[in-house]
Amino acid sequence: MKSKRRLQTTFDIISIGYELLDGRILNTNAKWLAEQISGLGGKVCRIIAVGDEVGEISSVIKDSFRRKIDWVITTGGLGPTYDDVTLQGVAKAVGRKLVLNKRALEMVRKKYLELFEKGIVDSPELTPHRMKMAMLPRGAKPLENEVGSAPGVLLKFKKTRIVCLPGVPNELENIFEKRVKPLLERSVKKIHTADRWLLIKGVPESTLAPKIDDVRSRFPTVYIKSHPRREEGESIINLYMRIIAQNPRICRETLDKVEKIITELAEELGGVVSRLEGAPR
Amino acid sequence: MKSKRRLQTTFDIISIGYELLDGRILNTNAKWLAEQISGLGGKVCRIIAVGDEVGEISSVIKDSFRRKIDWVITTGGLGPTYDDVTLQGVAKAVGRKLVLNKRALEMVRKKYLELFEKGIVDSPELTPHRMKMAMLPRGAKPLENEVGSAPGVLLKFKKTRIVCLPGVPNELENIFEKRVKPLLERSVKKIHTADRWLLIKGVPESTLAPKIDDVRSRFPTVYIKSHPRREEGESIINLYMRIIAQNPRICRETLDKVEKIITELAEELGGVVSRLEGAPR
């Protein structure tokens, strides 16, 4: 399992806010991020929702460190109010202090000046609450938020990169697309995937299952899933195989090998095997 | 924070399935469960999505044990196929073997007989895959599933109760409502809540904020949230307070005390305080 995971750059998504835990809102942010990350070739290992508590936030982030996750992405809790405690949680997890970040302060200052000029706020003043959004863990970089006031945050800690994004969906999406995605495109390990379908007739799935389990344990990078059905009393299995590997040649050669083994096993059990062109209709 | 949490019965929701981690599906099951649990007076501490891996499942469940969570509710991974490994994960977490549970087997047998009689399956035979759904961790109880074939599972381990529900929403909801909710209604600690709104005029939120932080730390069972705005240059704060306690008297007396302290603090800062009847419009 370890070797399988390590072919891909790993991610944990940590969603912060009591509103997720009492069922008030659906965690659409996590789904959106998971889709983006998978699309880039990354592997999301866990999605965790916790409340707005410094100890809880710090505890789940530390757990990601222990599991040597490459990227931890948090959402929510970056705003100006007391219960926005994400950065306190991150600071606690990495054992650093929150300090006023000049670039973040400049971002916040510019944002409130804009909001003031548009008549949205009554004053461009940098109140303590507004300055709070520029207090980042020592060593962190702010990520510009074009649509809201709280900057995102990027922080490296040992081998893990931590990205903190706001909870407001369009702010999160803006920062992710403009500031985070370009970084991920450079740093996410390039992976290749390939898949194949076999049609196996005349072997009951319950007979083939233990054999497939053996194959699975010998080829941990190959995901094998069988979809059994019966047609006029005959057992029919659509067998799906998918591989993730560092290069297309390994993908192809490994799938060839697995296909050959499964074909032989099924034929020994009296089955007839053929390769399908793409997914069964 | 500890004392605050322990007033309520605690829950972790563990959602199992790769389809949640690659963004294919939204975790609507977790939201539904969170709403149900909150409605009963329980506190959801974490919602965690992990993949279909025995080690991962076992690891997050063990973490719930370490945190002395009262109820762990898993969703997904109870079906007949190889990648349904939730019960293997639970068995590993509690250090018990999977054994054929006679009551669960009877449920599965009855179900396939029904499906066969309705012409939905070709045979009522208890294949190894179907029997797999009756292999429960030693000491577990099956929970009847009226709408699908995999029974739910209830297991006590030390002070934690583990409930395993299928991932198919209507099966999950059926088992929860018919088998789990009655148990929770008996075992979830009865809690009382009360809330109150204050209107504070003439004190900037940035001045009041540190004082409120002090009050918050002295009364950890009280949730305090301020909603500041400006009207014609004047600072106006709608201050919300909510308390959770074991009896209504404590709720009322504590809120009275907190209201008095905040009123005095705001008045010392030159503010004018009044109590609102319910939430501000």
Side-chain angles (χ1 to χ4, degrees):
Chain A
M1 282 310 186
K2 283 264 160 60
S3 64
K4 184 175 172 185
R5 171 180 298 172
R6 291 313 174 194
L7 281 176
Q8 286 179 278
T9 304
T10 53
F11 292 76
D12 275 354
I13 297 173
I14 300 173
S15 303
I16 296 157
Y18 286 126
E19 66 277 21
L20 294 161
L21 298 177
D22 61 17
R24 263 177 286 162
I25 67 159
L26 250 171
N27 196 351
T28 53
N29 282 341
K31 178 189 188 290
W32 187 86
L33 283 170
E35 254 182 306
Q36 298 291 316
I37 291 165
S38 303
L40 292 167
K43 180 184 166 83
V44 177
C45 296
R46 293 188 189 173
I47 296 173
I48 305 137
V50 290
D52 305 284
E53 271 180 50
V54 175
E56 279 287 277
I57 297 165
S58 154
S59 155
V60 295
I61 294 175
K62 280 187 182 166
D63 190 65
S64 301
F65 294 156
R66 252 192 306 275
R67 290 163 37 246
K68 302 195 192 307
I69 295 295
D70 300 312
W71 290 81
V72 172
I73 304 198
T74 74
T75 69
L78 295 187
T81 59
Y82 330 106
D83 54 348
D84 289 310
V85 296
T86 296
L87 296 179
Q88 290 175 52
V90 171
K92 187 173 177 188
V94 299
R96 300 189 196 160
K97 287 206 183 317
L98 287 175
V99 293
L100 190 67
N101 181 292
K102 284 190 182 153
R103 283 183 52 213
L105 189 66
E106 194 43 43
M107 289 176 190
V108 174
R109 187 196 307 276
K110 212 178 112 194
K111 185 60 66 177
Y112 279 99
L113 202 58
E114 269 173 45
L115 294 173
F116 175 66
E117 282 165 1
K118 288 180 186 166
I120 297 168
V121 296
D122 291 317
S123 147
E125 190 198 346
L126 282 175
T127 63
H129 277 77
R130 292 173 182 173
M131 285 175 72
K132 167 183 175 297
M133 295 188 282
M135 299 290 293
L136 313 190
R138 191 180 294 281
K141 283 185 191 171
L143 301 171
E144 198 180 342
N145 179 347
E146 294 171 9
V147 291
S149 49
V153 175
L154 172 67
L155 177 62
K156 203 182 162 189
F157 180 70
K158 296 182 183 167
K159 298 208 162 176
T160 303
R161 277 172 177 78
I162 306 163
V163 173
C164 305
L165 300 173
V168 181
N170 71 335
E171 299 185 22
L172 172 144
E173 290 169 18
N174 175 273
I175 302 178
F176 186 86
E177 281 175 350
K178 298 286 177 66
R179 321 280 160 215
V180 182
K181 204 168 174 181
L183 300 178
L184 296 184
E185 279 164 344
R186 283 200 300 275
S187 86
V188 168
K189 277 177 219 154
K190 294 293 167 282
I191 52 149
H192 292 271
T193 64
D195 57 11
R196 194 169 293 177
W197 285 91
L198 295 180
L199 176 66
I200 303 174
K201 291 188 178 183
V203 188
E205 201 208 16
S206 52
T207 311
L208 192 62
K211 309 278 181 184
I212 299 284
D213 280 342
D214 288 346
V215 179
R216 190 179 279 114
S217 64
R218 286 169 56 198
F219 296 90
T221 61
V222 183
Y223 172 79
I224 308 176
K225 172 121 192 171
S226 67
H227 303 266
R229 64 177 197 281
R230 269 172 190 265
E231 255 174 37
E232 295 164 9
E234 189 183 37
S235 286
I236 297 193
I237 299 171
N238 283 318
L239 192 96
Y240 177 65
M241 297 176 282
R242 190 189 64 222
I243 183 171
I244 292 173
Q246 274 150 322
N247 75 59
R249 192 179 50 83
I250 291 177
C251 285
R252 201 178 49 246
E253 288 178 3
T254 310
L255 276 190
D256 284 348
K257 215 179 286 176
V258 172
E259 178 181 345
K260 187 160 176 279
I261 292 170
I262 290 176
T263 302
E264 286 172 5
L265 288 169
E267 286 173 353
E268 276 168 27
L269 296 165
V272 176
V273 183
S274 50
R275 192 195 284 186
L276 294 174
E277 295 304 318
R281 75 262 91 75
Chain B
M1 280 310 184
K2 284 264 160 60
S3 65
K4 184 175 173 185
R5 170 180 299 172
R6 291 314 175 195
L7 280 176
Q8 285 178 277
T9 303
T10 54
F11 291 76
D12 275 352
I13 297 172
I14 300 173
S15 303
I16 296 157
Y18 286 125
E19 66 276 21
L20 294 160
L21 298 177
D22 61 16
R24 262 178 287 163
I25 67 158
L26 250 172
N27 196 351
T28 52
N29 281 342
K31 177 189 189 290
W32 187 87
L33 282 171
E35 254 181 306
Q36 298 291 315
I37 291 164
S38 303
L40 292 167
K43 180 184 166 83
V44 177
C45 295
R46 293 189 188 173
I47 296 173
I48 304 137
V50 289
D52 304 284
E53 272 180 49
V54 176
E56 279 287 277
I57 297 165
S58 154
S59 156
V60 296
I61 295 175
K62 280 187 181 165
D63 190 65
S64 301
F65 294 156
R66 252 191 306 276
R67 290 164 37 247
K68 302 194 191 310
I69 294 294
D70 300 311
W71 289 81
V72 172
I73 303 197
T74 74
T75 68
L78 295 187
T81 59
Y82 331 106
D83 54 347
D84 288 311
V85 296
T86 296
L87 295 179
Q88 290 176 52
V90 171
K92 187 172 177 188
V94 300
R96 299 189 196 160
K97 286 205 183 319
L98 286 176
V99 293
L100 190 69
N101 181 291
K102 284 189 182 153
R103 283 182 53 213
L105 189 67
E106 194 43 43
M107 289 176 191
V108 174
R109 186 197 307 276
K110 212 178 112 194
K111 185 61 66 176
Y112 279 98
L113 202 59
E114 270 174 44
L115 293 173
F116 175 67
E117 282 165 1
K118 289 181 185 165
I120 296 168
V121 298
D122 290 317
S123 146
E125 189 198 347
L126 281 175
T127 62
H129 277 77
R130 291 172 183 174
M131 283 175 73
K132 167 182 175 297
M133 296 188 281
M135 300 289 294
L136 314 189
R138 190 180 294 282
K141 283 185 192 172
L143 302 171
E144 197 180 342
N145 179 348
E146 294 171 9
V147 291
S149 50
V153 175
L154 172 67
L155 178 61
K156 203 182 163 189
F157 180 70
K158 295 181 184 168
K159 297 209 162 175
T160 303
R161 277 173 177 79
I162 306 164
V163 173
C164 304
L165 300 172
V168 180
N170 71 335
E171 298 186 21
L172 171 143
E173 291 169 17
N174 175 272
I175 302 177
F176 185 86
E177 282 175 350
K178 297 286 177 66
R179 320 283 160 213
V180 183
K181 204 168 172 179
L183 299 178
L184 296 184
E185 279 164 343
R186 284 201 300 275
S187 86
V188 167
K189 278 176 218 154
K190 295 293 168 282
I191 51 150
H192 293 270
T193 64
D195 56 11
R196 193 168 294 176
W197 286 91
L198 295 181
L199 175 67
I200 303 175
K201 291 189 178 182
V203 188
E205 201 208 15
S206 52
T207 311
L208 192 62
K211 309 279 182 185
I212 298 284
D213 280 340
D214 288 346
V215 178
R216 191 179 280 114
S217 64
R218 285 168 57 197
F219 295 90
T221 61
V222 183
Y223 172 80
I224 307 176
K225 171 120 192 172
S226 67
H227 302 267
R229 63 179 199 281
R230 270 173 189 265
E231 256 174 38
E232 295 165 9
E234 190 184 36
S235 286
I236 297 192
I237 299 171
N238 282 318
L239 192 95
Y240 178 64
M241 297 175 282
R242 191 191 63 223
I243 183 171
I244 293 173
Q246 275 150 322
N247 76 59
R249 192 179 50 81
I250 291 177
C251 285
R252 201 179 49 246
E253 288 178 3
T254 310
L255 276 190
D256 284 347
K257 214 180 287 177
V258 172
E259 178 181 344
K260 186 159 176 281
I261 293 169
I262 290 177
T263 301
E264 286 171 5
L265 287 170
E267 286 174 352
E268 274 168 27
L269 296 166
V272 177
V273 183
S274 52
R275 193 195 284 185
L276 293 175
E277 294 304 319
R281 76 263 92 76

